[in-house]
Amino acid sequence: MQQNINKISVIGGGSWGTALMILLTNNLEKVGWWVRSQDTVDYLQNHHRNPNYLSYTELPVHRMHLSTNMQQIIDESEVLIFAVPAAFLKKSLDEAGIKSLKGKFVISAIKGIVPEYNMVISEFLETHYEVSHGDLAFVAGPCHSEEVAMQKLSYLTLSGIDAAAVEDLCQDFASWHLKISPNNDLRGTEYAAVMKNVIAIAAGIASGLNYGDNFIAVLISNAVQEMKRLLKAVSPVPRDSSASVYLGDVMVTAYSRFSRNRLFGTLIGKGYSLQATMAEMNMVAEGYYAVKSLMELNKELEVDMPVMECVYNIVYGGVSPHTEFRNLADKLR
Amino acid sequence: MQQNINKISVIGGGSWGTALMILLTNNLEKVGWWVRSQDTVDYLQNHHRNPNYLSYTELPVHRMHLSTNMQQIIDESEVLIFAVPAAFLKKSLDEAGIKSLKGKFVISAIKGIVPEYNMVISEFLETHYEVSHGDLAFVAGPCHSEEVAMQKLSYLTLSGIDAAAVEDLCQDFASWHLKISPNNDLRGTEYAAVMKNVIAIAAGIASGLNYGDNFIAVLISNAVQEMKRLLKAVSPVPRDSSASVYLGDVMVTAYSRFSRNRLFGTLIGKGYSLQATMAEMNMVAEGYYAVKSLMELNKELEVDMPVMECVYNIVYGGVSPHTEFRNLADKLR
């Protein structure tokens, strides 16, 4: 078998995986793409569109090396970018029989926590899949895939320990409509990305409950303070939490009409049951899983996070959003 | 003449002045209110509504001591709250023949700079109207007056040096739909409030130019970093810039549909001339004046503020928004 025919491959055929393929095929002659079903591969090859996500966008399929065989894609690539929902990452790797990713450079594009382990992705891949610490990176930023597909100017951050590798990989993402900066706060950016999905759920619940813009701004400000506290607890390095990768991502997710986490919260706030909300939505709201893991993690850390706790109590504790937000309101300022 | 028949009086009959009257009459038997025209006084007395602002809201006029005589209102009050546009503050005081406010406790509710002096309000009143430093305060926060009138839960901050006085005055604002916290960063909160109006103009221009949510989140994050730098330069005290009074006010102004500064920017971004934009809008966009004063002030401070500079170049330099934002985009990250 020929080794490393692709410099980079994307694992995951969802909305964000598709957006990443758009960016990478701008720069690279051939990019590998693992998607789950053969039907999707066939559709991509015949229609040059992803049938399920961003399907209004024509894709340069001639630059893609498509496969449903994850092991093959892994073997044939130097760099892997994981873009599957955090809750299904372990299952996807298990189903494909992947036991190790040793020797690969792995970029996570997943803003979530692996539920069974309460670990962010880089932590999980390092401890369970033999990826060395310097071979890990995280791509994030205020970047809805829909706008990447529309070629609206967007900004990403690539966080990793190996500055030279990160610098080099930035080149593969950059284009006239995508700017990307290196960053060395791998753990901090990952946790920020986990929290922003829960913050968006909180903003959605407030909106569903008919709180106004004034309240939502106070809610998000307080949640950003919680984020600073948690990041300090998990990784006490200096960082400017008003950088785009932290604050920008919170704002775009909490305020944007594209945010599925905000929509999830809005439905809950309007009084839909959890079951009805899940049924109403086609995509996974990462924040739903994230808040549970954050609360588990926080049993040890004991960071003061009333907004996170409020969302948890509503989504997992069955407490009425109305009551829980009335209590939360007294803690905000 | 009977002295101090009102504990507190509001100077200004605009939207925010009206909202403050709603809050204060919740708690106080009698609140003084200076408005410019006798017609407004008559309308208020006959219809219990402000004819020009928030006119869908019935006001408890029996608790208001209305007057067009500013000197009389000042003489009869212990505490004055100024809520006129910054650009007209000096003119209003001059027209009323006010030379000194000595002995009064003065709260500014004005988020702007006095253009002729490039000073925030507390600075101006201290140096030109003999108000002592400890008798100054600033009321601010993410608080659109429209939502106060709708009794949507909102949060304010009262910033001042005299902690006991500030604590006491907080009681006069608080109600079931308004929470208020004391703060001692008078200068910092004032400058933050000045900048947030310019940030909202920048967000509006971006939106008018058809940039997406991703870009606007990056723009605002970068502008918050500029705010931190400027605040450090004008008043180097420790502060958490993600508190509601700083970050929250930026977000509510930059994202809310009620923001006139954002609307001002949107029209400019869509290609309206400055004249047409001014004509289209009924209210003053404070940020239009603020950015000029900030740039004047920054000649000495030399803080790196590309977003402020960009808005200035568009609004005062006549540079095309399209060109100026393309240049700005290269400086953001």
Side-chain angles (χ1 to χ4, degrees):
Chain A
M1 183 160 51
Q2 199 191 346
Q3 290 288 306
N4 295 347
I5 62 168
N6 313 305
K7 179 181 178 188
I8 303 183
S9 290
V10 172
I11 309 289
S15 177
W16 189 221
T18 308
L20 291 168
M21 287 301 295
I22 293 171
L23 294 175
L24 295 165
T25 51
N26 259 330
N27 294 310
L28 300 168
E29 287 301 320
K30 212 73 177 177
V31 183
W33 195 9
W34 175 84
V35 298
R36 181 176 298 276
S37 85
Q38 189 57 42
D39 283 356
T40 303
V41 171
D42 295 343
Y43 193 97
L44 276 160
Q45 264 154 357
N46 292 329
H47 301 287
H48 299 189
R49 289 165 197 278
N50 183 334
N52 306 310
Y53 300 99
L54 310 180
S55 37
Y56 46 83
T57 310
E58 199 175 337
L59 303 172
V61 174
H62 62 286
R63 290 185 165 221
M64 298 176 180
H65 172 209
L66 300 165
S67 174
T68 61
N69 184 334
M70 197 190 294
Q71 186 69 63
Q72 184 202 354
I73 286 279
I74 291 172
D75 290 341
E76 293 178 0
S77 312
E78 288 173 49
V79 178
L80 299 166
I81 306 182
F82 280 90
V84 295
F88 306 135
L89 174 62
K90 184 165 188 310
K91 190 160 168 266
S92 303
L93 289 165
D94 285 349
E95 281 175 4
I98 313 298
K99 302 266 182 261
S100 169
L101 295 164
K102 202 171 180 172
K104 302 293 172 184
F105 194 100
V106 182
I107 302 175
S108 165
I110 304 171
K111 297 175 175 177
I113 286 185
V114 184
E116 306 90 328
Y117 298 86
N118 292 332
M119 286 179 176
V120 288
I121 310 305
S122 73
E123 219 174 347
F124 174 66
L125 295 176
E126 188 179 349
T127 52
H128 288 74
Y129 288 86
E130 302 183 288
V131 186
S132 61
H133 196 54
D135 285 344
L136 284 161
F138 177 54
V139 64
C143 211
H144 281 296
S145 51
E146 292 83 351
E147 292 195 352
V148 172
M150 292 176 201
Q151 303 187 321
K152 296 254 187 190
L153 182 60
S154 302
Y155 293 68
L156 287 172
T157 296
L158 187 62
S159 306
I161 309 303
D162 182 341
V166 164
E167 199 75 60
D168 170 67
L169 283 162
C170 280
Q171 312 294 320
D172 298 322
F173 290 90
S175 70
W176 66 269
H177 64 92
L178 194 286
K179 296 183 192 285
I180 182 162
S181 320
N183 168 303
N184 58 13
D185 182 22
L186 177 61
R187 210 45 49 91
T189 51
E190 281 192 275
Y191 275 97
V194 169
M195 284 191 76
K196 64 110 190 182
N197 285 328
V198 187
I199 299 173
I201 291 180
I205 297 174
S207 156
L209 285 169
N210 216 20
Y211 283 88
D213 294 341
N214 292 353
F215 177 81
I216 289 174
V218 171
L219 176 70
I220 298 174
S221 301
N222 278 264
V224 168
Q225 294 163 46
E226 290 185 20
M227 185 178 88
K228 285 167 73 170
R229 288 196 292 268
L230 184 77
L231 264 53
K232 198 172 165 194
V234 294
S235 173
V237 299
R239 62 176 63 86
D240 181 355
S241 63
S242 50
S244 299
V245 70
Y246 311 102
L247 176 61
D249 205 4
V250 168
M251 290 191 299
V252 85
T253 310
Y255 279 111
S256 179
R257 64 193 187 283
F258 292 122
S259 166
R260 54 188 179 274
N261 287 286
R262 170 140 183 170
L263 175 61
F264 177 89
T266 304
L267 295 174
I268 296 283
K270 280 186 188 301
Y272 281 59
S273 71
L274 197 58
Q275 286 67 28
T277 301
M278 301 282 217
E280 187 79 15
M281 293 180 60
N282 259 327
M283 304 197 213
V284 181
E286 289 272 13
Y288 167 73
Y289 301 102
V291 72
K292 187 159 188 278
S293 297
L294 282 171
M295 283 299 110
E296 282 294 324
L297 183 80
N298 203 36
K299 281 182 188 165
E300 266 178 52
L301 297 172
E302 295 187 333
V303 175
D304 180 35
M305 300 198 290
V307 176
M308 299 296 111
E309 215 171 302
C310 167
V311 172
Y312 178 81
N313 290 344
I314 291 166
V315 176
Y316 290 93
V319 187
S320 114
H322 184 76
T323 309
E324 200 59 28
F325 263 71
R326 213 169 36 196
N327 293 339
L328 177 64
D330 287 334
K331 298 177 192 155
L332 305 180
R333 48 182 291 162
Chain B
M1 184 160 48
Q2 197 190 349
Q3 291 288 307
N4 295 347
I5 62 167
N6 312 308
K7 178 180 178 189
I8 304 183
S9 289
V10 172
I11 309 288
S15 178
W16 189 222
T18 308
L20 291 168
M21 287 302 295
I22 293 171
L23 293 175
L24 295 166
T25 50
N26 259 330
N27 294 311
L28 300 168
E29 287 301 319
K30 213 74 178 176
V31 183
W33 195 8
W34 176 85
V35 298
R36 180 175 299 277
S37 86
Q38 190 57 44
D39 282 355
T40 303
V41 171
D42 295 343
Y43 194 99
L44 275 160
Q45 262 153 357
N46 292 329
H47 302 287
H48 298 190
R49 288 164 199 278
N50 184 332
N52 306 310
Y53 300 98
L54 310 180
S55 37
Y56 45 83
T57 310
E58 197 174 337
L59 303 172
V61 174
H62 63 285
R63 291 185 165 219
M64 299 177 180
H65 173 208
L66 300 165
S67 174
T68 61
N69 183 335
M70 198 188 295
Q71 186 68 65
Q72 184 201 352
I73 286 278
I74 291 172
D75 290 341
E76 294 179 357
S77 313
E78 289 173 46
V79 178
L80 299 165
I81 305 182
F82 280 90
V84 296
F88 306 135
L89 175 61
K90 183 164 188 313
K91 190 160 169 266
S92 303
L93 289 165
D94 284 351
E95 282 177 3
I98 312 298
K99 301 268 182 259
S100 168
L101 294 165
K102 201 170 178 171
K104 300 293 172 183
F105 194 99
V106 182
I107 301 175
S108 164
I110 304 171
K111 296 175 174 177
I113 285 184
V114 183
E116 306 91 329
Y117 299 85
N118 293 332
M119 284 179 178
V120 287
I121 309 305
S122 72
E123 221 174 343
F124 175 67
L125 294 177
E126 187 178 349
T127 53
H128 288 74
Y129 288 86
E130 304 182 287
V131 186
S132 60
H133 195 55
D135 285 345
L136 285 160
F138 177 54
V139 63
C143 212
H144 282 296
S145 50
E146 292 82 351
E147 292 195 351
V148 172
M150 292 174 202
Q151 303 187 320
K152 296 251 187 193
L153 181 60
S154 302
Y155 294 68
L156 287 172
T157 295
L158 187 63
S159 305
I161 308 305
D162 182 341
V166 164
E167 199 74 58
D168 169 66
L169 283 163
C170 280
Q171 313 294 321
D172 298 321
F173 290 91
S175 70
W176 65 269
H177 64 92
L178 194 287
K179 295 182 192 284
I180 182 163
S181 320
N183 168 305
N184 58 14
D185 183 20
L186 177 60
R187 209 46 48 92
T189 51
E190 280 192 278
Y191 275 97
V194 169
M195 284 191 78
K196 64 107 191 186
N197 284 328
V198 187
I199 299 173
I201 291 180
I205 298 175
S207 155
L209 285 168
N210 215 20
Y211 283 89
D213 294 340
N214 292 353
F215 178 81
I216 289 175
V218 171
L219 175 71
I220 298 174
S221 301
N222 278 263
V224 169
Q225 293 163 46
E226 290 184 20
M227 186 178 90
K228 284 167 73 171
R229 288 196 292 268
L230 184 78
L231 264 52
K232 200 175 163 187
V234 294
S235 174
V237 299
R239 61 175 67 84
D240 181 356
S241 64
S242 50
S244 299
V245 70
Y246 312 101
L247 175 62
D249 206 4
V250 168
M251 291 192 298
V252 86
T253 311
Y255 279 111
S256 180
R257 64 193 187 285
F258 292 123
S259 166
R260 54 188 179 273
N261 286 286
R262 171 140 183 168
L263 175 62
F264 177 89
T266 304
L267 294 174
I268 296 283
K270 279 186 188 302
Y272 280 60
S273 71
L274 197 58
Q275 286 68 27
T277 301
M278 300 280 219
E280 186 79 14
M281 293 181 61
N282 259 328
M283 304 197 211
V284 181
E286 289 271 13
Y288 167 74
Y289 301 102
V291 71
K292 188 158 186 282
S293 297
L294 282 172
M295 284 298 110
E296 283 293 325
L297 181 82
N298 203 36
K299 281 182 187 161
E300 266 180 51
L301 297 173
E302 297 188 332
V303 175
D304 179 36
M305 299 198 290
V307 176
M308 299 296 111
E309 216 171 299
C310 167
V311 173
Y312 178 80
N313 290 344
I314 291 167
V315 176
Y316 290 93
V319 187
S320 112
H322 184 76
T323 310
E324 199 59 27
F325 262 72
R326 214 168 36 196
N327 293 340
L328 177 64
D330 287 334
K331 297 176 193 156
L332 305 180
R333 50 182 290 165

